[in-house]
Amino acid sequence: MYDMKEAKRILIVGDVMLDIYIKGEAKRLSPEAPCVVLSGCSSPTSKLGGASNVAYQLSENNVVSLCGRIGDDHWGNEILRIAQKEHISVANLIIDSSKTTTKTRYISNSNHQLLRVDEDTINGIPEETICKIIEEIIAGSYDAVVLSDYGKGVLTDSLCKSVIDSCNEAGIPSIIDIKHSPYNKFRNATLIKGNEKELRELGIFLGIEGTDTFNLLKSISLFLDCRYAVVTLGKNGIAGYSKNDGFIEIPATDIPIHDVTGAGDVVTAFITVLLANQISFEEALRLANNAAQHKVSQFGTSRVSFDRICSPCPKLINDVSDILKNRLDKKIVFTNGCFDVLHAGHVDLLLKAKNLGDILVVGLNSDSSINKLKGTNRPINSFENRAKVLSALNCVDYIVKFEEQTPYDLISKLTPDILVKGGDYTLDTIVGADIVLNNGGSVTTIPFTVSTSSTNILIQLGYE
């Protein structure tokens, strides 16, 4: 676990909006037009979006203040309700007669987005509010400031220049989530971040269309005189340029992608708090990339836990409901074991198990469970060390600890589509086979192709 020391005080300034979701059944096409008919729609559910989603991502472990503009209407009140629930300060939030910016998504039961309807309000914030937040920055009220630009008018030239200058005067980082021109308003910021499309457009503005990612980021850093430039590359991961460290590229792993909504906000939030905690730029990129991958495996603008991503074992979860709510139409494969002395046979089994479905969940015996099963001299490796090793395998998506001698209760909660065990098991000896089969799933044994075992290894070492 990284030492995040104490909670950081972070100000987010930008375009505040609300993401609204309406879910229904999409079983047929309309006879009147080439479109889907959505029936049995649920009541709208809502989540913070835009700059307020960055605030939401940061509010788990930090003291967060949000500055922007919303309407004195139903959806504006919903933003205030959620902000209060998440302990986000709205003292610098302007509420007026304009409409709240919303993005309403119509979703099928299989979580496919069918239509998005936007209600946009283009509006700035009063000069007195700008003066107030500038005074707060200079007075040392914040440890970092984020400017989150969604092109809705809050981030004017004068606001951006004043905020960035004040951050530099106060000696705190300013992180910019860029949208589009004008770009000069972001000069002298600590870090500029955008997706590939946004930064390629900036590259065209600079006259460097078609250049490679390294030269693109370096050119942006030089043009805007920022210490860091970062681009999110979707399925290809993330890349960054630092004036001190040069070019850094972090690839993504092959994971199921359910929904990219809010992934950029997650990256912004992670980079902000990591830089505020003086974590190295390369490590900040790596952790932000991991957080983005975790986000896209979930539906909607869900929060990504800093504690989990920054943990030495980020794939370890306490509650299988985290898996089930993101199950969608993906096949869950489950296997279990002690994995006390991980060897080639284990890896072969896990790789083949992963190939049977989309999400591989590994049930891992606790130390006390192994002690009861194998004797007082086991396990050799602690649960934390065994979980950390399994987390390093790309084929493993989740690890769940169980205290019992068998994973029967865990399987009953998870109800996987496919239950996998090694070739030395038969159907009648596989714990949980009845649960899986009764739920329409399948049970598979995978023959051993590697002639080894933990016990044999320990015997050769003279341990047993």
Side-chain angles (χ1 to χ4, degrees):
M1 176 73 70
Y2 291 89
D3 181 12
M4 291 297 183
K5 300 174 183 176
E6 58 189 26
K8 295 300 179 181
R9 302 160 300 166
I10 303 174
L11 171 67
I12 296 93
V13 185
D15 300 305
V16 176
M17 58 188 71
L18 193 69
D19 289 329
I20 303 167
Y21 298 89
I22 298 174
K23 199 167 187 178
E25 291 185 335
K27 293 183 176 180
R28 61 191 179 94
L29 293 174
S30 169
E32 303 163 354
C35 63
V36 172
V37 175
L38 199 63
S39 60
C41 291
S42 64
S43 298
T45 58
S46 53
K47 297 183 179 182
L48 297 179
S52 49
N53 184 37
V54 179
Y56 170 64
Q57 297 295 333
L58 286 164
S59 64
E60 181 184 26
N61 297 316
N62 302 283
V63 180
V64 176
S65 180
L66 180 63
C67 179
R69 195 167 201 143
I70 61 173
D72 184 12
D73 53 21
H74 172 74
W75 295 123
N77 289 333
E78 180 67 2
I79 288 175
L80 294 175
R81 182 192 69 79
I82 300 173
Q84 182 180 27
K85 176 186 174 185
E86 300 299 335
H87 306 290
I88 298 169
S89 171
V90 293
N92 290 316
L93 198 60
I94 301 302
I95 306 169
D96 59 17
S97 59
S98 61
K99 288 186 177 181
T100 300
T101 296
T102 59
K103 298 181 185 299
T104 304
R105 296 171 175 87
Y106 291 84
I107 310 291
S108 71
N109 274 344
S110 58
N111 285 327
H112 290 106
Q113 189 174 148
L114 304 177
L115 175 68
R116 195 180 93 179
V117 179
D118 290 4
E119 183 74 56
D120 291 337
T121 298
I122 308 298
N123 233 334
I125 57 176
E127 188 64 32
E128 56 264 31
T129 301
I130 298 175
C131 292
K132 181 187 176 195
I133 63 173
I134 296 305
E135 290 173 359
E136 291 173 351
I137 293 169
I138 294 174
S141 299
Y142 305 108
D143 298 302
V145 175
V146 177
L147 297 180
S148 178
D149 191 6
Y150 276 80
K152 309 302 179 189
V154 167
L155 298 184
T156 60
D157 285 21
S158 61
L159 182 149
C160 293
K161 290 174 182 177
S162 297
V163 168
I164 292 169
D165 288 346
S166 300
C167 287
N168 291 334
E169 181 179 339
I172 63 173
S174 54
I175 289 83
I176 314 299
D177 195 349
I178 203 166
K179 190 68 176 177
H180 47 59
S181 63
Y183 301 110
N184 284 322
K185 62 184 179 182
F186 297 126
R187 282 186 182 276
N188 301 313
T190 305
L191 183 144
I192 299 292
K193 171 249 162 191
N195 62 34
E196 189 168 22
K197 178 178 180 294
E198 291 159 350
L199 293 196
R200 287 292 174 191
E201 288 176 354
L202 175 50
I204 293 172
F205 174 82
L206 297 176
I208 53 171
E209 183 177 4
T211 190
D212 59 75
T213 305
F214 164 64
N215 284 307
L216 172 67
L217 294 177
K218 184 177 181 180
S219 298
I220 290 171
S221 174
L222 291 171
F223 170 66
L224 293 177
D225 196 19
C226 59
R227 193 182 313 165
Y228 309 107
V230 174
V231 59
T232 54
L233 300 167
K235 65 180 181 180
N236 294 319
I238 194 170
Y241 173 79
S242 161
K243 286 185 175 180
N244 293 329
D245 304 318
F247 182 65
I248 299 168
E249 191 168 18
I250 311 290
T253 56
D254 184 17
I255 59 168
I257 297 176
H258 298 322
D259 186 3
V260 299
T261 306
D265 296 332
V266 169
V267 170
T268 301
F270 266 75
I271 286 177
T272 298
V273 77
L274 291 166
L275 290 184
N277 280 281
Q278 299 182 330
I279 304 298
S280 74
F281 181 55
E282 181 173 2
E283 193 66 359
L285 285 184
R286 186 185 70 79
L287 292 169
N289 187 51
N290 290 346
Q293 291 183 90
H294 182 76
K295 162 63 205 73
V296 300
S297 70
Q298 301 180 343
F299 178 73
T301 51
S302 53
R303 177 187 279 142
V304 179
S305 168
F306 283 84
D307 289 342
R308 179 178 176 187
I309 296 300
C310 295
S311 164
C313 187
K315 294 178 181 178
L316 178 64
I317 63 170
N318 296 320
D319 191 345
V320 295
S321 63
D322 291 340
I323 304 172
L324 296 176
K325 69 183 179 183
N326 299 305
R327 184 177 200 154
L328 306 179
D329 56 351
K330 303 298 182 182
K331 284 188 177 181
I332 294 179
V333 182
F334 177 85
T335 191
N336 67 279
C338 300
F339 299 100
D340 190 12
V341 180
L342 192 72
H343 54 70
H346 289 141
V347 174
D348 184 65
L349 174 80
L350 293 170
L351 287 169
K352 289 176 178 175
K354 171 68 173 181
N355 288 334
L356 295 174
D358 304 297
I359 300 171
L360 176 59
V361 181
V362 176
L364 187 61
N365 292 74
S366 68
D367 290 347
S368 61
S369 173
I370 295 177
N371 190 260
K372 292 174 184 176
L373 285 170
K374 296 182 178 291
T376 56
N377 62 336
R378 297 285 296 274
I380 305 298
N381 294 293
S382 68
F383 176 86
E384 289 72 20
N385 286 340
R386 290 181 287 121
K388 187 174 182 179
V389 171
L390 285 172
S391 278
L393 300 178
N394 285 339
C395 59
V396 175
D397 296 299
Y398 296 100
I399 301 165
V400 187
K401 183 180 185 178
F402 65 95
E403 298 284 352
E404 302 79 13
Q405 289 181 269
T406 76
Y408 192 85
D409 289 343
L410 175 56
I411 293 170
S412 66
K413 292 176 183 177
L414 184 64
T415 60
D417 299 285
I418 304 169
L419 176 59
V420 174
K421 291 297 289 182
D424 53 342
Y425 283 83
T426 58
L427 184 61
D428 61 317
T429 61
I430 297 177
V431 172
D434 57 326
I435 298 171
V436 175
L437 293 174
N438 289 337
N439 279 282
S442 61
V443 180
T444 300
T445 57
I446 296 178
F448 292 117
T449 57
V450 179
S451 180
T452 188
S453 72
S454 299
T455 301
N456 288 338
I457 292 173
L458 293 174
I459 290 173
Q460 290 176 27
L461 292 173
Y463 191 82
E464 288 192 350

